[in-house]
Amino acid sequence: MPKLQLHWQILIAICLAILVGYLSNKQSTFLGIHLLSVFDFIGTMFMNALKMVIVPLIASSIITGIAGIGGSHGLGRMGGKTILYYMTTSLFAIMVGLVVVNMVEPGIVDGEPIRDIIKVSDEQIEMAKAKVDGKEAGSVADIFLRMVPPNIVTASAEGQMLGLIFFCILFGFFITKIPDAYAEAQYNFWQGMYEVMLKITDFIIKFAPIGIFGLIASVVIGLDKDSDDMNRMAAALGSFTGTVIVALAIHMFITMPLMLKFLARVNPLRHFKAMAPAMLTSFSTASSSATLPITLDCVEKNAKVSNRTSSFVLPLGATINMDGTALYECVVAIFIFQAFGYDLTFTQQFLIVFTALMTSIGVAGIPAASLIAIMIILKAVGLDDASASAGLAMVLVVDRVLDMCRTSVNVFSDSCGAVIIGKSEGEEGILADEQPAKA
Ligand code: ASP
């Protein structure tokens, strides 16, 4: 019997998980065992397995990739292109969000600011506060400080990706500066390590359908399906949810494919197909960092981008290039101001765009990380603490679903970046449009 392709297996797992999650509740048991804890166990095990390979995979991938670029000229050129790509696409995404949220005005329903319709309870405000309290604010200076960690072992252990990436870039670069005999030994060692990590990643990916089933089922089962409060809020937030999804879809299905087509001459449909396992994983995990091993695998094996390019563009992208997150931050901030009945001036909207761009760089690739950035934006534009928490409490009801969507956009943009930059470095890739035969 022909084996079903991985993305179909994952898709079926997602559908089954939604069904099972919907039909059960937090108390459901099977043979005396709580279903929620079983799904949680499976999902956590899968996430752990992905996280387990991140440090050695990223380290070996970056080191071999950078050592392969060879010298400061190549590295500077690649770095310049990558940063330009990240900034441009994030800005495009924010602009789309800005236009859509101003057109739809989801914060106003029947001429009334939504805040009066929803009536956020104190308990919900407390919940929102608890989500962001004590988390790192991530100012611009902070981002630079995190790039140079005082202790690389601690940074790796704590999953501080920026520090790890920076150290590995230095390591790979200086391999090219030592005597040939040592350089060769170092390069071969890291190349071997990289090959092993890819094999382990391949092995973990085989379990993706089961792991993703667990992740989705535990999210769906955990939803408060019967709470009136929640239902009323979710219904009132329908237009907001729609706005975010439409804006994300425009970026993912119009802007990015156009860039693929015109900058890399790549057939977008084939790229979507190549990236399907990574997209479905990012959707299920809501974490670009946890998805990174699968993103690397898909970009190198299916999209045929070289390790030299993907090892630079993808880990960095998973940490600092977040188009979906930037778009979301902008839409949420403007939605909350609309919901409170404030008219924003052009300068305030500009401030939101700028802060969304900057904070999206500092947001970690983990679930719900943008909530902290949204708090920063709201306060930067002048909202007081209590109102900002109340605003955040409104969107929390639908945040998980939107997190899944924006994370997929984040990962997709990184993958397009790898293809576009790879192409600009003269790589062919299998996804290139076939050139018409000359008559
Ligand atoms: N969950 C997102 C990611 O990992 C970050 C966020 O927007 O919360 O890419």
Side-chain angles (χ1 to χ4, degrees), residues 135-439:
K135 302 255 169 70
E136 273 177 64
S139 65
V140 179
D142 215 50
I143 296 170
F144 283 104
L145 276 181
R146 267 188 280 150
M147 267 173 65
V148 189
N151 183 330
I152 186 62
V153 179
T154 319
S156 315
E158 288 173 355
Q160 293 169 19
M161 295 289 285
L162 268 188
L164 178 68
I165 292 171
F166 184 65
F167 178 79
C168 294
I169 291 178
L170 283 182
F171 198 101
F173 177 73
F174 282 107
I175 284 182
T176 63
K177 304 286 172 209
I178 58 178
D180 284 355
Y182 301 133
E184 205 176 311
Q186 273 296 323
Y187 188 79
N188 287 339
F189 169 78
W190 289 105
Q191 185 69 39
M193 165 91 114
Y194 179 59
E195 298 289 333
V196 174
M197 294 320 298
L198 277 186
K199 287 270 180 261
I200 299 181
T201 307
D202 267 348
F203 177 66
I204 296 172
I205 291 178
K206 291 205 170 67
F207 295 95
I210 304 174
I212 285 174
F213 174 86
L215 285 170
I216 299 276
S218 52
V219 168
V220 179
I221 226 176
L223 292 177
D224 217 338
K225 299 182 204 84
D226 314 318
S227 151
D228 260 7
D229 238 22
M230 285 290 185
N231 287 345
R232 195 167 44 87
M233 257 174 125
L237 289 172
S239 143
F240 162 72
T241 311
T243 305
V244 174
I245 292 180
V246 166
L248 286 174
I250 292 177
H251 190 66
M252 178 141 150
F253 297 112
I254 298 177
T255 315
M256 297 314 302
L258 283 176
M259 291 188 76
L260 276 176
K261 184 89 193 142
F262 291 108
L263 293 182
R265 299 207 45 74
V266 157
N267 180 341
L269 282 180
R270 293 179 71 183
H271 185 70
F272 274 110
K273 190 155 178 254
M275 293 309 300
M279 304 312 301
L280 293 169
T281 309
S282 53
F283 182 77
S284 317
T285 58
S287 165
S288 354
S289 290
T291 311
L292 186 54
I294 302 189
T295 317
L296 262 167
D297 198 81
C298 291
V299 166
E300 287 190 21
K301 291 215 181 106
N302 303 348
K304 298 275 185 258
V305 176
S306 72
N307 169 248
R308 179 179 173 273
T309 306
S310 57
S311 70
F312 185 77
V313 179
L314 295 178
L316 211 56
T319 319
I320 65 176
N321 180 41
M322 302 221 172
D323 293 4
T325 295
L327 181 157
Y328 183 68
E329 288 175 15
C330 173
V331 172
V332 173
I334 294 185
F335 164 73
I336 290 176
F337 280 104
Q338 288 173 352
F340 279 100
Y342 297 128
D343 275 333
L344 287 170
T345 61
F346 176 78
T347 324
Q348 282 170 320
Q349 298 222 16
F350 177 80
L351 192 62
I352 291 179
V353 168
F354 181 75
T355 331
L357 185 65
M358 284 330 217
T359 51
S360 73
I361 297 173
V363 166
I366 54 171
S370 23
L371 297 180
I372 307 148
I374 292 167
M375 205 67 173
I376 297 172
I377 299 179
L378 293 176
K379 287 194 192 160
V381 187
L383 210 60
D384 63 278
D385 213 44
S387 311
S389 302
L392 212 56
M394 288 195 292
V395 295
L396 272 188
V397 183
V398 286
D399 184 67
R400 177 71 197 195
V401 176
L402 298 177
D403 197 2
M404 293 157 88
C405 301
R406 65 183 184 258
T407 307
S408 302
V409 174
N410 291 343
V411 169
F412 189 68
S413 168
D414 295 341
S415 74
C416 295
V419 170
I420 291 170
I421 291 163
K423 209 48 189 279
S424 77
E425 290 282 302
E427 288 173 20
E428 201 35 59
I430 51 156
L431 295 170
D433 279 343
E434 276 166 27
Q435 298 295 328
K438 292 213 172 74

Side-chain angles (χ1 to χ4, degrees), residues 20-21 24 34-44 211 213-215 217-218 221:
V20 173
S24 17
H34 267 108
L35 283 184
L36 181 57
S37 59
V38 175
F39 298 150
D40 219 27
F41 174 81
I42 301 173
T44 311
F213 174 86
L215 285 170
S218 52
I221 226 176

